[in-house]
């Protein structure tokens, strides 16, 4: 429906709360500019795949075989099991660590403003809100195209960005929701 997944609600609530707290006294910029953010990003970039490997080695790789006791990929993605808990925990810490590291990297390397970046940044929240249905719709449209997976992902990514930003622009112009979007 709105792409809300119950398993992510603790993260949604925690990040919303942290966002409110960090907005005071410009704490997010202080964190992003710190060495901590860069180090967390680097540790996650290299440690995330290693940790996933450890989880798969200890828990066993997902298998599609019919051997009793092996439940396929669903073993890590649903239910109340140590496998699912490990995968969910890994995903959250890796996602947050990479996001913090990327914020730090972009703050160091791409901290500039021009007409294009201003236009993009003023529409990013609308794109965030509407991108999921756009991507799903485009995925369905592209399903029958007979090209490889990588070119199809590239096509989906490029057109997904264009269509999402186009809808964001239409929202801004049509409903004058500039303060929300």
């Amino acid at each position: 429906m709105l792409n809300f997944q119950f398993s992510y609600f603790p993260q949604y609530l925690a990040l919303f709360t942290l966002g409110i707290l960090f907005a005071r006294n410009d704490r997010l910029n202080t964190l992003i500019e710190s060495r901590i953010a860069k180090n967390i990003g680097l540790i996650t970039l290299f440690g995330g795949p290693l940790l996933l490997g450890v989880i798969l080695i200890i828990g066993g790789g997902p298998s599609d075989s019919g051997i009793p006791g092996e439940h396929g990929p669903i073993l890590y993605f649903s239910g109340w099991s140590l496998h699912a808990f490990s995968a969910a925990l890994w995903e959250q810490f890796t996602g947050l660590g990479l996001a913090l590291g990327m914020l730090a990297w972009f703050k160091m390397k791409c901290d500039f403003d021009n007409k294009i970046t201003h236009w993009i940044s003023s529409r990013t929240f609308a794109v965030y809100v509407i991108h999921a249905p756009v991507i799903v719709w485009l995925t369905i449209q592209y399903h029958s195209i007979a090209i490889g997976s990588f070119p199809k992902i590239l096509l989906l990514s490029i057109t997904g960005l264009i269509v999402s930003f186009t809808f964001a622009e239409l929202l801004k112009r049509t409903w004058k929701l500039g303060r929300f979007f």
Side-chain angles (χ1 to χ4, degrees):
M1 178 184 212
L2 293 174
N3 200 30
F4 288 120
Q5 298 177 18
F6 183 71
S7 60
Y8 295 130
F9 270 51
Q11 180 184 348
Y12 297 154
L13 293 173
L15 290 178
F16 182 76
T17 303
L18 285 174
I20 292 171
L21 294 174
F22 274 49
R24 296 181 183 146
N25 302 322
D26 204 27
R27 290 185 189 142
L28 182 59
N29 275 329
T30 304
L31 175 62
I32 290 169
E33 293 168 353
S34 74
R35 187 121 183 102
I36 294 169
K38 181 182 176 186
N39 290 339
I40 288 174
L42 287 172
I43 289 168
T44 306
L45 180 64
F46 296 106
L50 292 174
L51 181 58
L52 180 60
V54 169
I55 290 170
L56 291 174
I57 289 169
I58 292 172
S63 170
D64 290 328
S65 71
I67 299 171
E70 293 189 25
H71 306 290
I74 200 164
L75 180 67
Y76 285 94
F77 299 111
S78 69
W80 293 91
S81 70
L82 188 56
H83 292 89
F85 177 75
S86 299
L89 193 63
W90 169 82
E91 181 182 13
Q92 298 307 305
F93 280 113
T94 301
L96 292 174
L98 288 175
L100 187 58
M102 286 179 68
L103 285 170
W105 187 83
F106 275 99
K107 180 73 173 176
M108 285 187 324
K109 304 290 184 187
C110 302
D111 191 17
F112 60 88
D113 192 24
N114 59 36
K115 288 182 179 183
I116 295 170
T117 58
H118 181 75
W119 185 89
I120 290 171
S121 68
S122 67
R123 286 147 184 85
T124 53
F125 183 70
V127 169
Y128 170 73
V129 170
I130 63 175
H131 82 279
V134 167
I135 296 298
V136 169
W137 180 77
L138 286 172
T139 302
I140 292 167
Q141 303 307 308
Y142 296 160
H143 181 72
S144 62
I145 296 176
I147 58 174
S149 296
F150 183 74
K152 198 178 283 190
I153 290 169
L154 189 61
L155 176 65
L156 177 65
S157 299
I158 292 168
T159 56
L161 279 168
I162 292 168
V163 172
S164 294
F165 275 100
T166 301
F167 275 121
E169 178 66 21
L170 290 172
L171 281 173
K172 279 188 79 82
R173 288 180 183 211
T174 304
W175 286 298
K176 307 288 188 217
L177 295 175
R179 62 183 183 187
F180 297 112
F181 294 115

